[in-house]
Amino acid sequence: MSRQYLIRRLLLVIPAMLGISVLLYTVLALAPGDPFSELAANPAVPPEVAQALRTKFGLDDPVWIRYWRWLIAMLHGEWGFSFQSRMDVDRLIMQRLPTTLIVIGAAQLLAILVALPVGVLAGTRPYSIFDQIANTLAFVGFSLPTFFTGLLLILVFSIQLDWLPFVYRADIDATGWRFYWEHIKQSIMPVMVLGLFQGASLVRYVRSSVLDVVRLDYVTTARAKGIGERKVISRHVVRNALIPVVTLVALQMPIVFGGAIVTEQIFRVPGIGSLLISAMLANDTPVIMAVTFVFSCLVVLCNLIADVLYAWLDPRIAFR
Amino acid sequence: MPGSTPASLSADAPTSVGAPLVAAPAAGAAAPAVPRKRQRFSPWQEAWRRFRRHRLAVASAVVLLLMVAAIAIGPLLWTVPINEIDFASKLEGPSWAHPLGTDDLGQDVLARVLYGGRISLAVGLAAMFVAIFVGVLVGAVAGMSSGRLDALLMWLADLFLSLPQLPLLLLVIYLFRDSLKAVFGPEGGIFVMIVIVIGGLRWMPSARLVRAQFLSIREKEFVEAARALGASKVRQVVQHILPNALGPVIVAATIDVAAAIIAESTLSFLGLGFPPDIPTWGRLLADAKDYLDIAPHWALASGVAIFLTVLSINFIGDGLRDALDPRRVI
C-alpha cells in the first residue's frame, strides 16, 4: 500500500469529522430551549444580571462563533460537566467506553465466526437445502429486533432455565478464575444478541460475495490444475471473497452501535449506550452531546480502518 | 398496476413459463394476418410471474395482508377499549375474555396490540415515503448534474451514512420533543417528528441507488433520442429515466418500511418515542419487560407482532428484488 494513499485517506477524516461536528452543532443550535430560561423566569434574578451572564458566556454571539468556541473546547478535551453524575464528561465516558468496546468487539467476533463458515458453505452450494435453510434463518435473524431477542434470551436462559444472570454487574466480589467466569457468564447474552443479529446480515453478504468469486476464471483454472475442492475454496475463493466483506462490516457499524445501545439498556451493561439513555431521561445535555460525538468518531474510525484494510488486501484500490 | 394481473395469469399458470418462447416465432410469422390469442406479458405481469416463484415472499404477502386487515378492521370487531383499567384481572394469561391476556393495569393486550399496529405501520409507511422522496430527489439531481453538485451531494450522502443513526435519532427527539408537542399536540407532534427524523436519516441508500441508475440510463439510446427530439431535462427524467429506474427503488422502499418500523419500536422501547399512554408495539414491549417472569404472554404478543411484520416485509422485499431487479445477486 502506498504511503500516498494512506495519507490521502487520513486527510479525508478531517472533513468528515468537521461535517459531523457541524451537523451535531446545528441540531443543538436549532433546538428550542435555552440553558438560561430558568434564570430568566426566576423573579429573584434581575434582568440586567441575566443579560450580563448571557453576555459573559457568549450566548448572544452569532452561531458560527459559538460553534467555533464549542469545537475548540471539544478538541481540548473540555467536554463539560455531567449534572447527573457530578463528574467531568470526558472522565465519565472514558470510564464507560471500554465496556462498550469489549461487548461490541466480542459480538463482531461472534458474528464473523458464525457468518464465515455458514456464508461460504451456502455460497459454494447455491440453492441447496443448506443454502435455503441458512438464507431463511438469516432473514429471521435480522428481522428479529435486538430488543426482542434480548427479552427472549432472558425469558429462556434466565427465567426458564435459570442459567445466566440477566443484570450485568460491575461489582463482582470474587477473585481469580471465578471472577472471570462470572464476567463471561454475564456477557454471554448481550454478546449473543448483538452478534447473532450482525451475523445474520453478514451471512448474506459472505454468500453473495462467494457466489461472485466462484464464477471467476481463476477458480476454474485452480480446479483444472487438479487442486482439491476444499483447497480451492479455502485458498482461492474465500480469500478473495472476503475483501468486499471487510467494507460491508464497516458500513454496518452505525447499526451495530444502535444495537449496542439497546442491548446495554436491556441487560443494564454499564457502557456508553446505557449512559446515553439515562442522560436523556435525566436531561443531561453535555453527556448526550459527548456520547453522540463519540459514537460518530467511532464510526468514522471504523470506516478509516476498513478503507485502509481494503487497500492493503486489494492494492488496486489505492490506484484509482 | 400489478393488482390487475393475477386473475388473468393464475388461470394459465403452468404454461406461462414456456409459452413466450413457443409463441414468439409463430406470432412473428403470422402476426399481421391471424389475430390469434397470443401470450403477451407486460413488464408488470412478468414481474408478478417472477415474484410468484418466490414462495416465501408470497406466503409473507399473505401474512402481511392478514395482519394489515386485522389492524385495520380488528378494532372495529374487538371493541374492548385499550385503556380500561381493571385491577381485579391484572397480568392474567390468555383467556376467552382476553385472548392475549392483560397487562399490569388489567388492560386488554389484544386491543392494545391492534391499536399499536396502526401506529407502527403508519410510521413505517410515512417514514418510507419521506426517505424515498428525499432519496429520489437527491439521487436524481446528483445523477443528472455530474460535476461539482454531484460530488457535493454524494459527499453529503456518505457523511450521513457514517452517522450513528440511533444516537442521532435519540438526540434529535430529545432536543425537539417539547416544541413540536406544543405545535401539533402530543400525538401528532411526535408522529410528525418521528416520521421526518427516521425518514430523514434513511434517504442515503436510495439516493445512491437512484444516482447509479440515472448515470447508466441517461446514456442509453432512448434517452438520447428523447434529447435529440428536444425533450427538456425535466421531461427526460419524468418520462424516460425515472420509470426505468423505479424497480430497485421499490425494493429499497420495501426494506425501508421494515427498517422504519424497527426504528420506531426501538425508540418507543427506549422510552423516547410516543407518549407513555399510547400503546405502540415498542412501548408495550418496554412495559412488559419488567413482568417477563410472571406475564411472558404480554411481551411475546407485541414482540411477535413486530417480528412477523418485519420478517414478512423483508421477505416481500426479497421477492420484489427477484421480480423487479433481476440483476442483483444478494
Side-chain angles (χ1 to χ4, degrees), chain A residues 99-165:
Chain A
T99 320
T100 301
L101 289 182
I102 289 172
V103 169
I104 288 180
Q108 283 291 339
L109 201 67
L110 175 71
I112 291 170
L113 285 181
V114 171
L116 260 192
V118 176
V120 169
L121 269 180
T124 47
R125 295 166 185 70
Y127 308 109
S128 64
I129 299 281
F130 177 82
D131 181 30
Q132 286 178 10
I133 292 174
N135 200 27
T136 310
L137 284 183
F139 261 96
V140 172
F142 67 79
S143 298
L144 270 170
T146 35
F147 48 89
F148 187 45
T149 337
L151 293 187
L152 279 182
L153 286 188
I154 289 181
L155 193 60
V156 173
F157 290 106
S158 301
I159 294 173
Q160 299 289 332
L161 298 171
D162 200 15
W163 286 352
L164 301 168

